[in-house]
Amino acid sequence: MKFFHLSDLHIGLKLFNKDLSEDQKYIFDQIVEYAKSENPDAVVIAGDIYDKAVPSAEAVTLFDDFISALTSAIPNATIMMISGNHDSAPRVNVFRNILKNRSIYMIGQPPQTKDEYIEKVTMVDSYGNVNFYLLPFVKPSMIKEITGVDEKGNNFTYDEALHKLVERENIDESERNIFVSHQFYLPVGKNADDIDRMESEIVTVGNIDCVKADVLQPFDYAALGHIHKPMKVGSEFYRYSGTPLACSVSEAEQSKGIIVVEMKEKGNVKTEVLPLNPLRKVRIISGTLSEILKMGCDDYVTIIITDKEDLDVIDMQDRIRHEFPNLLEIRRDIERKIDYNAEFNPDEALNPYELCNAFLPDLTDEEKELLRDVINDVNNA
C-alpha cells in the first residue's frame, strides 16, 4: 500500500495581497505528475483545503481542476481529505455520501452524536486491511454530546476531548491503521511554546488547542495537518507534511514536499519526501540599497535594508520594485535598539526629554537637540 500525504493547500491564499493562484496551480501540476509516475493507491489531504471558510469562485475552480487532474492521472486510486480549521466543515461535507461512490472521501464534519463514529475507509492489499480513520478539525464544543462535560458543566479541553473521542473507537491493532487529522499535536514531554509556528498559522492564546501525541499510539502512521512546517511528532511515522507552498515570509527557503508512505506487513512502514519546487520562491534579501539593487529577481521577496545612515533617495521604493516585481515588503535594519531593561527609580520624576534619553542611551548630540525641539513643539502645541 502506497499513499501520498499532503495537507494545508490553502487554496485562495493571498501573500501580502499577492494572488498565489498561478503558483498553487504550478505546484498542483507537479503533484499530478508525481502521481502519474509513482501511481499511489491513495492520496490523503489532511485539512485546510481552502484558505477561507467561504472560498472565492476562482479558488473552488482551482481545487476542482486539481482533483479532476488527480483522478484522471490515477483513476484507480482513493482520494481522502478532511476539513481543517480554515475550512467550512458543512461546505466540505456537501455531497459526502455521493462522492464515496467515486472513491473520493471529503469529510467535513466529525462525529457529533453518540451513534456516529470517526469515518473509516478500509482498503485491502496483499497483506490485508489498511484502515484510514478520517477526523476533521475538532473543537470540544463540536463533540460534547459524545464526550460529555466535566463535573462543573464545562467542555473538556482539546486534549481531553480528542482522547475520549479516539478511545471510543474499536481499533483493531493487529491490522494496519492510519490516522488522518488536523490538530495541534504535541510530542510527549514537549512544551507548546517550544514548537516553531509559522506566521500563516492560527495560534490560540495559551496554546489551548494542543493535544498530547500519545493519543496517536494505536496507529501505524498519522497523516497530520495544521502545522505549516514539515515536522515529526515524536516518531518517524507521526508527521506533519507542511504546506506544499510557502504561505508566509516565516516559511522562506523551507523545503516543501509530498510525504510518500509505503506500508507492507504490519510494522513495516517506509517514508520518503518528493520535493516540490515553486514557480517563485519566498525569500528574504538583506543588504545595503546598492547591493540589493543588483540582486533583482521575480521571487516573492522581503527586502531588509542595512544602510546605517538615512537614505535620501526619493524614488527608492520605485527602484526596488522595478528590480523586484513581486516585492512583498521593505524593512529597515535599525541598529539602535530600545533599552527595555533600563532601570528607573519610581520616586524619581523624569521629564519627557529625560525619559526618552533613558530608553535611547546612544543618541548623538545632534539627535538630542532634535529630540528636545520635538518635545518642546509638542508641549507648546
Side-chain angles (χ1 to χ4, degrees), residues 342 344 348-379:
F344 299 99
E348 179 184 352
L350 297 178
N351 62 43
Y353 175 73
E354 292 169 333
L355 193 61
C356 290
N357 272 281
F359 275 101
L360 301 169
D362 58 344
L363 294 178
T364 65
D365 290 338
E366 183 180 353
E367 289 170 332
K368 287 179 180 179
E369 188 62 35
L370 177 61
L371 175 63
R372 184 181 290 109
D373 291 340
V374 169
I375 291 173
N376 287 336
D377 287 342
V378 172
N379 287 337

Side-chain angles (χ1 to χ4, degrees), residues 80-94:
M80 294 170 268
M81 64 197 87
I82 59 174
S83 64
N85 57 303
H86 278 255
D87 297 310
S88 165
R91 284 184 169 84
V92 173
N93 222 53
V94 170

Side-chain angles (χ1 to χ4, degrees), residues 188-293:
V188 177
K190 286 281 188 179
N191 188 304
D193 293 332
D194 297 333
I195 304 301
D196 189 18
R197 306 293 296 273
M198 302 295 102
E199 293 171 358
S200 51
E201 297 173 31
I202 294 176
V203 181
T204 60
V205 177
N207 291 299
I208 62 170
D209 60 337
C210 67
V211 179
K212 295 186 182 70
D214 61 351
V215 73
L216 306 176
Q217 288 177 358
F219 301 98
D220 298 270
Y221 184 85
L224 305 177
H226 191 45
I227 304 297
H228 287 185
K229 179 180 180 180
M231 187 178 90
K232 299 172 185 176
V233 187
S235 166
E236 180 72 24
F237 308 120
Y238 303 156
R239 298 177 67 156
Y240 286 100
S241 62
T243 56
L245 181 73
C247 294
S248 66
V249 175
S250 61
E251 296 169 60
E253 306 295 346
Q254 275 187 13
S255 297
K256 302 293 188 178
I258 306 165
I259 300 177
V260 182
V261 184
E262 190 164 1
M263 309 186 82
K264 295 185 178 179
E265 70 276 10
K266 177 78 174 180
N268 188 347
V269 184
K270 295 180 180 179
T271 63
E272 69 169 314
V273 177
L274 300 176
L276 293 171
N277 300 306
L279 179 63
R280 306 174 186 89
K281 294 181 179 179
V282 175
R283 300 173 57 195
I284 299 174
I285 294 179
S286 179
T288 64
L289 179 60
S290 60
E291 292 170 339
I292 285 169
L293 291 175

Side-chain angles (χ1 to χ4, degrees), residues 94 148 173 317 326:
V94 170
E173 295 190 39
Q317 288 197 27
N326 290 303

Side-chain angles (χ1 to χ4, degrees), residues 305-355:
I305 299 175
T306 60
D307 293 85
K308 301 309 176 188
E309 69 280 359
D310 289 334
L311 295 171
D312 187 18
V313 182
I314 296 175
D315 62 343
M316 180 178 71
Q317 288 197 27
D318 290 338
R319 292 170 64 183
I320 292 175
R321 289 185 185 282
H322 181 268
E323 299 300 327
F324 300 92
N326 290 303
L327 177 71
L328 299 178
E329 59 178 338
I330 300 172
R331 302 178 188 172
R332 289 296 304 271
D333 182 18
I334 305 299
E335 186 177 58
R336 181 183 300 135
K337 305 292 183 184
I338 295 176
D339 184 8
Y340 290 104
N341 295 317
E343 296 182 3
F344 299 99
N345 183 348
D347 297 324
E348 179 184 352
L350 297 178
N351 62 43
Y353 175 73
E354 292 169 333
L355 193 61

